[in-house]
Amino acid sequence: MRSLWSDEEEKQCSGDLGLRVYSSRLLGRDKSLVLHGGGNTSVKLRERNLFGEEQDILYVKGSGWDLETIEPQGFSPVHLAHVLRLASLPTLTDPEMVNQLATHMRRAAAPAPSIETLLHGCLPYQYVDHTHADAVVAISNTRDGQARIREVYGDLCVVIPYVIPGFDLARVCARAFGEHKTANTIGMVLMNHGIFSFGTSARESYERMIQLVCLAEDYLGRHQATAVASILPAATDPLAQAELRRGIADAAGVPMILKTCTNGRTLGFARHPEIARISQQGPATPDHVIRTKRVPLLGTDVSRYVESYKHYFSEHAAKASEPKSMLDPAPRVVLAPAFGMAAAGRTAKDADIVEDIYAHTIDVILQAEALGGFQALPAQDIFDIEYWDLEQAKLKKSGKPPMFAGEIALVTGAASGIGKAAVASFLARGAAVVGVDLNPAVESLHTRPDYVGLRCDITDERALLDVLREAVLRYGGIDMLMLNAGIFSSGRKIADLGSDAWREVMNVNLDANLMLMRACHPYLKLAPGRGRVVVIGSKNVPAPGPGAAAYSASKAALTQLARVAALEWGADGIRVNTLHPDAVFDTGLWTEDVLAQRAKHYGMSVSQYKTKNILRTEITSRDVAELAAEMCGPLFAKTTGAQVPIDGGNERVI
Ligand SMILES: [Zn+2]
């Protein structure tokens, strides 16, 4: 590990708080120091209040902020004198501590200050940095961890045995720090948890953190504690992954994303001869439990995991001072020799976080093993964090989940027009979306964890199966299928319609959709919220026009295919509905020139032409996309085999 400090960047920071933001971000940038909201930092500043009086303010990381992206407003300005008074109380409950901190801040709109605020306040240094550095937790999570940590740091760090974060930890640290610090002390190690550094400037505190973590890394290097990789090929079966996801979703009681994370490291770990011992002890640092649960599922028997989780809950809940209600008993990390690791979460982002955290946990465990044996905290300590009111509050903050949370939609023809709008509509409702298109623009439509764009010619069955496989390994299944890709050719009467032109339209608009439906059926059947298919038909089905025989016939056949699917798949709970849009002019098909030509042909202005329907309204891609997404939602939960026009009203259709 090396320092990322840059004199150039330092010059751009304004004031002490600006430097605090800068060095916090430097820590956040290194995933081996902190992961996803972990760790915290602070600075003590003297400020004048409205009455001109000077006050000491502790700016400490607010909960819900990530060090990597923190802004000045992510720090909560707490009155330091009050923090120190609180720390001198003989006891203080967690909810009262939170209340006291929230009511003694300089800014009403500031976030809730970190639960380690009292500890930051008690350390008598202007800047305080705290991380869960992999190298430090690897050494401390061993059988003789405390002796090893002392060997690494001597009197550079005060060493504190594990205590649950909050009031008690602050008191223990304040006392032990006062007793054991020497002139050489630049940090403090919390066993099985993490490390603190401090200093009189942002840079000093940051550089000391790097120095201390380097000492731990050097120690690991001297003991040749490194990870193993497996080169045996993985056998990832997408259908088996979808079945596993269904099991996990059933255990959780809600749809879940399951990401398969197959690589040399996860395979090597999952195939480790001692995997049953080393993986079933606990997390590298306690607050990971909120994301990963205490231990991974080994193998794919979800019901066995659920049983053992229930047992863990009842055993430890019985010892708690207040009644606890059980969280969902579904695993978040799965380890299996066939695919290495899989990570589960309520959203694609959550699953990515679980993957990141466990990838670091693998390193920590293997390094600790090389030091003579990984040894995590006892289950009771982990339970106390998992069922701690304050941690629970963090998770509950998010409120009601969106309509399609944990679900996956696949949209064809996603690079433009209705398909592109549908991607946005499904994303807005919380689904993870797989966009498929021949146009490579589909790949860069969105850069976010819940979207993947795959380029594919859907008339090529092999390519199509590859796309489905990739989608399922990325998110765990396919719950909603939107058949949108299609081509339109007109202006040719039947007498002039060549067989090749006919076949081309049929290939894309009909045959490819049959292949897609056939290949997606096993996944739709496994959908935790029941499978749904939305077919984009056309006004031409109920009201064909001359000159578009191939298009109209292909859409009519597709509609009939959807009706038969509704009949055949009803027993599997899969709903299949069709939309018949008309005159959607904001798609790639309709350039301004074409529009002007068509309007002229009818003796109309462009805007008259665009609204030549009963309601005199213009139909946009977004209108169709929103209806398509809603048809997959609860409003249409009891509708299948329907054909719904979205055309502003058309006399021939009505
Ligand atoms: Zn911590």
Side-chain angles (χ1 to χ4, degrees):
M1 169 159 312
R2 51 184 195 85
S3 167
L4 301 174
W5 195 275
S6 141
D7 294 331
E8 268 313 297
E9 289 171 356
E10 179 183 358
K11 277 185 212 138
Q12 289 157 24
C13 299
S14 73
D16 292 325
L17 187 58
L19 285 164
R20 176 67 286 175
V21 170
Y22 172 60
S23 68
S24 301
R25 287 181 171 192
L26 292 185
L27 294 175
R29 237 195 265 171
D30 193 324
K31 296 276 176 276
S32 68
L33 286 175
V34 287
L35 281 165
H36 305 291
N40 39 61
T41 57
S42 68
V43 60
K44 300 177 184 79
L45 301 177
R46 181 155 290 180
E47 293 179 342
R48 249 177 230 291
N49 68 12
L50 274 180
F51 308 99
E53 297 154 354
E54 288 206 320
Q55 292 176 317
D56 289 319
I57 305 295
L58 172 67
Y59 281 86
V60 64
K61 194 195 92 161
S63 69
W65 285 82
D66 207 304
L67 287 182
E68 190 178 4
T69 51
I70 198 159
E71 302 279 352
Q73 65 269 29
F75 286 90
S76 311
V78 194
H79 289 286
L80 181 59
H82 194 70
V83 168
L84 297 176
R85 281 192 78 190
L86 290 175
S88 70
L89 287 169
T91 59
L92 183 62
T93 65
D94 292 330
E96 188 53 38
M97 179 179 77
V98 170
N99 177 52
Q100 286 295 320
L101 295 174
T103 50
H104 289 78
M105 287 202 286
R106 269 202 81 162
R107 203 173 74 242
S114 159
I115 42 110
E116 281 158 338
T117 298
L118 265 57
L119 179 43
H120 281 262
C122 290
L123 289 170
Y125 303 90
Q126 194 183 2
Y127 287 86
V128 176
D129 293 22
H130 167 50
T131 71
H132 301 150
D134 286 355
V136 176
V137 292
I139 299 170
S140 91
N141 278 310
T142 52
R143 238 163 270 142
D144 41 4
Q146 194 155 330
R148 289 178 185 275
I149 288 288
R150 288 186 195 283
E151 183 188 337
V152 173
Y153 292 122
D155 65 353
L156 285 175
C157 288
V158 172
V159 182
I160 312 282
Y162 180 78
V163 176
I164 190 166
F167 180 75
D168 291 343
L169 177 62
R171 275 181 56 94
V172 168
C173 289
R175 196 179 328 115
F177 193 78
E179 284 169 16
H180 300 297
K181 79 160 185 201
T182 70
N184 294 329
T185 303
I186 58 170
M188 181 168 74
V189 174
L190 307 183
M191 288 302 295
N192 310 88
H193 173 167
I195 183 163
F196 279 77
S197 65
F198 30 74
T200 53
S201 69
R203 180 165 196 170
E204 183 178 54
S205 186
Y206 171 78
E207 299 284 7
R208 283 174 170 178
M209 177 62 74
I210 302 302
Q211 178 193 344
L212 292 172
V213 175
C214 282
L215 287 172
E217 288 181 343
D218 292 347
Y219 181 88
L220 289 173
R222 283 201 302 280
H223 291 80
Q224 276 135 23
T226 47
V228 290
S230 174
I231 44 161
L232 291 173
T236 31
D237 168 7
L239 194 58
Q241 292 305 95
E243 280 164 359
L244 176 60
R245 168 185 176 243
R246 174 61 189 262
I248 291 172
D250 286 350
V254 285
M256 298 280 277
I257 299 293
L258 183 73
K259 179 182 187 183
T260 307
C261 320
T262 303
N263 56 46
R265 178 160 65 172
T266 59
L267 283 171
F269 189 69
R271 295 168 180 180
H272 192 291
E274 299 275 345
I275 189 64
R277 176 178 61 81
I278 62 179
S279 73
Q280 299 299 298
Q281 292 191 30
T285 186
D287 76 356
H288 288 173
V289 70
I290 305 301
R291 297 289 191 174
T292 61
K293 297 236 179 236
R294 191 176 76 88
V295 293
L297 162 61
L298 265 192
T300 53
D301 185 347
V302 178
S303 56
R304 231 178 72 194
Y305 185 93
V306 168
E307 280 318 303
S308 89
Y309 187 87
K310 285 180 176 164
H311 180 75
Y312 154 80
F313 175 79
S314 51
E315 182 186 347
H316 298 289
K319 298 176 199 152
S321 50
E322 68 262 31
K324 305 282 182 193
S325 44
M326 195 179 79
L327 298 167
D328 81 69
R332 297 298 188 272
V333 178
V334 185
L335 299 170
F339 54 81
M341 175 169 93
R346 193 71 171 100
T347 64
K349 190 178 169 200
D350 286 347
D352 285 358
I353 290 174
V354 169
E355 178 191 16
D356 260 3
I357 290 178
Y358 209 78
H360 283 268
T361 305
I362 289 175
D363 286 350
V364 166
I365 290 175
L366 293 176
Q367 287 168 340
E369 274 299 288
L371 297 182
F374 175 65
Q375 184 172 304
L377 283 168
Q380 182 70 50
D381 288 317
I382 302 304
F383 178 88
D384 289 344
I385 293 287
E386 189 175 2
Y387 283 88
W388 192 22
D389 293 348
L390 300 182
E391 288 288 1
Q392 292 302 299
K394 276 192 208 167
L395 292 183
K396 281 184 191 136
K397 220 174 48 180
S398 46
K400 191 174 179 275
M403 187 190 285
F404 295 145
E407 296 200 278
I408 303 118
L410 188 142
V411 178
T412 64
S416 63
I418 293 170
K420 185 177 171 182
V423 169
S425 295
F426 280 106
L427 285 174
R429 287 164 176 76
V433 182
V434 181
V436 178
D437 206 299
L438 194 55
N439 179 347
V442 75
E443 291 168 353
S444 51
L445 210 53
H446 299 273
T447 315
R448 44 192 282 176
D450 49 4
Y451 175 78
V452 60
L454 302 172
R455 191 182 172 191
C456 170
D457 174 359
I458 57 166
T459 63
D460 175 349
E461 187 161 17
R462 219 196 170 101
L464 200 61
L465 293 176
D466 283 347
V467 155
L468 294 187
R469 178 187 156 83
E470 203 169 329
V472 172
L473 295 184
R474 177 68 185 86
Y475 294 130
I478 295 164
D479 304 325
M480 296 172 276
L481 174 63
M482 178 164 164
L483 301 177
N484 166 67
I487 52 173
F488 180 76
S489 62
S490 73
R492 211 175 289 172
K493 300 273 168 62
I494 291 171
D496 305 318
L497 180 58
S499 293
D500 285 352
W502 168 268
R503 246 178 247 120
E504 194 194 351
V505 173
M506 286 294 169
N507 246 340
V508 178
N509 293 5
L510 183 61
D511 296 7
N513 285 322
L514 169 70
M515 290 193 295
L516 255 165
M517 289 171 81
R518 187 170 60 208
C520 286
H521 179 247
Y523 301 115
L524 294 167
K525 208 171 146 179
L526 283 169
R530 306 215 149 182
R532 285 139 284 167
V533 181
V534 179
V535 176
I536 299 300
S538 167
K539 181 267 303 183
N540 282 27
V541 174
Y551 181 78
S552 303
S554 71
K555 288 290 191 179
L558 175 61
T559 303
Q560 200 70 344
L561 179 64
R563 296 174 73 199
V564 175
L567 291 169
E568 290 182 359
W569 295 356
D572 302 323
I574 302 169
R575 301 191 280 111
V576 187
N577 292 298
T578 304
L579 292 182
H580 292 317
D582 186 31
V584 181
F585 294 116
D586 61 346
T587 65
L589 248 44
W590 293 89
T591 62
E592 285 189 14
D593 282 353
V594 175
L595 258 175
Q597 264 175 33
R598 299 306 298 163
K600 202 174 155 197
H601 176 81
Y602 286 95
M604 293 174 175
S605 71
V606 168
S607 89
Q608 280 171 330
Y609 178 69
K610 278 185 173 177
T611 57
K612 60 173 179 63
N613 52 53
I614 289 173
L615 295 173
R616 297 271 171 263
T617 186
E618 191 179 333
I619 297 114
T620 64
S621 293
R622 184 165 185 274
D623 295 327
V624 181
E626 286 286 289
L627 183 55
E630 282 301 316
M631 292 199 86
C632 296
L635 261 183
F636 288 86
K638 299 184 179 176
T639 301
T640 192
Q643 297 176 52
V644 181
I646 173 158
D647 55 9
N650 180 304
E651 281 171 20
R652 289 180 58 209
V653 173
I654 291 172

